[in-house]
Amino acid sequence: MAQAALLVIDVQQSFQHRDFWQEEDVPAFQRHISALIEGCQAKAIPVVDVFHVAPQGPFALDSGWVKRMDFLQHEAAFSVQKHVHNALTESGLLPWLEAQGIDTLIISGIRTEQCCETTARVASDLGFKVLFVSEATLTFPMTHNGVTLSSAELIHRTETVLINRFAEVVSVEACLARV
């Protein structure tokens, strides 16, 4: 029987202090990730909080913003800090997952195309089954060479590059039905 864990990646107050923060997609994100967390807890699936920490700015520990966003009230089974884009490198998470017999990772969190996608890719390379719950991820528009990609376009791009390679892309409902 597969053993799963839910990763709640970088859902921290630090993001609310970045210049790209937008509220537009936040209410739907909050509903989806809250439903995913509640559903996983009801199935006794451990929830792991992952926090990004940087030497300075809003992601620095001394900023006071490296803590859960206020809407999150769950009890985490484990919590780690990371200093790179993926949650598995040098955070202490990988040995914990191995000790728990976890073979399936459910990915949720902030910056769909960055820390969530990178964690999914690394997890797949390490042999984990990955369920990427894109509706329980959040990102913000990005501009490069004068072209702006919307949040929806970035999420679609992430789903496109992950599906059938690194992860199974699922809705909250489908994820909870699978685990």
Side-chain angles (χ1 to χ4, degrees):
M1 179 73 147
Q3 290 286 61
L6 169 61
L7 303 186
V8 178
I9 300 171
D10 301 347
V11 185
Q12 63 194 72
Q13 294 178 19
S14 307
F15 278 106
Q16 295 166 308
H17 301 278
R18 296 297 305 266
D19 59 354
F20 55 77
W21 177 261
Q22 295 180 12
E23 291 286 331
E24 182 179 334
D25 298 324
V26 172
F29 166 69
Q30 287 178 344
R31 280 192 312 277
H32 289 124
I33 198 166
S34 294
L36 182 62
I37 291 167
E38 289 170 19
C40 284
Q41 287 182 317
K43 293 176 174 271
I45 293 169
V47 178
V48 178
D49 284 340
V50 178
F51 297 98
H52 190 84
V53 176
Q56 55 193 352
F59 290 87
L61 290 174
D62 64 5
S63 73
W65 296 320
V66 180
K67 56 187 174 186
R68 284 189 213 152
M69 289 188 174
D70 290 336
F71 76 94
L72 292 177
Q73 300 298 314
H74 64 276
E75 186 79 29
F78 194 60
S79 180
V80 297
Q81 295 176 353
K82 64 182 183 61
H83 303 277
V84 296
H85 292 105
N86 83 81
L88 297 162
T89 302
E90 299 177 5
S91 66
L93 179 56
L94 184 57
W96 183 85
L97 294 168
E98 291 169 342
Q100 304 303 309
I102 304 294
D103 60 6
T104 301
L105 295 181
I106 303 165
I107 306 292
S108 69
I110 295 186
R111 292 313 294 257
T112 309
E113 77 294 342
Q114 192 167 310
C115 296
C116 296
E117 180 181 328
T118 304
T119 298
R121 288 171 178 259
V122 171
S124 174
D125 284 351
L126 291 172
F128 289 94
K129 177 179 174 61
V130 179
L131 299 175
F132 194 89
V133 189
S134 54
E135 68 183 1
T137 68
L138 177 69
T139 197
F140 311 95
M142 295 177 73
T143 302
H144 175 66
N145 287 341
V147 176
T148 299
L149 296 180
S150 69
S151 298
E153 290 169 323
L154 287 166
I155 291 170
H156 177 75
R157 179 223 152 267
T158 292
E159 291 174 344
T160 301
V161 299
L162 289 180
I163 200 162
N164 298 324
R165 292 175 191 88
F166 300 99
E168 183 178 344
V169 177
V170 294
S171 66
V172 170
E173 183 179 350
C175 177
L176 294 174
R178 295 281 310 272
V179 291

